[in-house]
């Protein structure tokens, strides 16, 4: 199953992504993370990315694509993958399609978690974060098991994110919509996009996500 997971901030992308990872035994690949990793490991593409970042420039699409391509060759991607945080633009989506089609492993589906702005603002402004792994929790949805500490880091008391104040959140959501609208349209045009209502009971959302994967999931079972 080869997926891209899109979603407005606060629509539960982290939680639903983790559930898909468990259910289908495929990795969730956060491009920000693998980019940092490539820089840290000093791979040729990592060094190219670092040179651009050090100069205050954006990392060019072909470098990011190259880093994604390398990551997808790892053994844990044999059954598929979930891309998270990439692509962000239509040009990147086209480059990603070209790369995956060349490899004979086309992208099958794009799940877009949607939610009304007022509701995600409310959700995000009460969000808590683990200071160690940066996993986020929400008292009204994906709450931590003991209510206070990270599930994976019992020593870490969850904190309220400083950038989670209402005005900044609104701005972030506006930017997100402006950036991803053309991208969603690109995938909608050829029938790969599925909009999924991201708010509500976590299990119900997972049910809707799985329904959106129908066809793809069946073919793999
Ligand atoms: Zn943690």
């Amino acid at each position: 199953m080869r997926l891209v997971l899109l979603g407005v901030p606060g629509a539960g992308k982290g939680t639903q992504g983790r559930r898909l990872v468990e259910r289908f035994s495929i990795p969730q690949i956060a491009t920000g993370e693998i980019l940092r990793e490539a820089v840290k490991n000093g791979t040729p593409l990592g060094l190219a990315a670092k040179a651009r970042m050090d100069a205050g420039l954006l990392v060019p699409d072909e470098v990011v694509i190259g880093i994604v391509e390398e990551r997808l060759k790892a053994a844990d991607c044999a059954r598929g993958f979930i891309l998270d945080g990439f692509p962000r633009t239509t040009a990147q989506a086209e480059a990603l399609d070209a790369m995956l089609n060349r490899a004979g492993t086309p992208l099958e589906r794009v799940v877009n978690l949607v939610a009304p702005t007022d509701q995600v603002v409310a959700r995000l402004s009460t969000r808590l974060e683990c200071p160690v792994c940066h996993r986020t929790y929400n008292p009204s949805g994906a709450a931590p098991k003991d209510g206070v500490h990270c599930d994976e880091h019992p020593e870490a008391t969850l904190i309220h994110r400083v950038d989670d104040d209402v005005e900044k959140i609104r701005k972030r959501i506006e930017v997100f919509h402006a950036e991803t609208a053309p991208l969603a349209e690109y995938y909608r045009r050829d029938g790969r996009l599925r909009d999924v209502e991201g708010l509500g009971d976590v299990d119900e959302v997972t049910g809707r996500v799985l329904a959106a994967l129908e066809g793809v999931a069946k073919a793999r079972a």
Side-chain angles (χ1 to χ4, degrees), residues 130 133 150 153:
C130 170
C133 67
C150 178
H153 301 97

Side-chain angles (χ1 to χ4, degrees), residues 4 6 87-91 93-94 97 110-112 114 176-195:
V4 164
L6 295 176
R88 283 190 196 280
T89 65
T90 309
E94 285 168 350
D97 274 338
V110 178
V111 171
N112 187 28
V114 296
F176 173 85
H177 282 307
E179 271 181 5
T180 53
L183 182 63
E185 202 40 51
Y186 170 82
Y187 289 123
R188 199 185 307 279
R189 237 178 291 141
D190 62 22
R192 282 179 292 178
L193 187 86
R194 297 288 183 280
D195 285 320

Side-chain angles (χ1 to χ4, degrees), residues 130 132-135 137 150 152-153 156:
C130 170
V132 180
C133 67
H134 303 292
R135 176 170 166 183
Y137 293 88
C150 178
E152 258 108 278
H153 301 97

Side-chain angles (χ1 to χ4, degrees), residues 28-39:
Q28 181 168 4
I29 297 169
T31 27
E33 246 165 64
I34 59 168
L35 191 60
R36 280 192 294 276
E37 194 99 324
V39 170

Side-chain angles (χ1 to χ4, degrees), residues 185-216:
E185 202 40 51
Y186 170 82
Y187 289 123
R188 199 185 307 279
R189 237 178 291 141
D190 62 22
R192 282 179 292 178
L193 187 86
R194 297 288 183 280
D195 285 320
V196 173
E197 172 57 55
L199 294 187
D201 176 78
V202 176
D203 291 332
E204 280 175 25
V205 177
T206 302
R208 292 198 284 270
V209 171
L210 293 176
L213 296 177
E214 216 162 307
V216 181

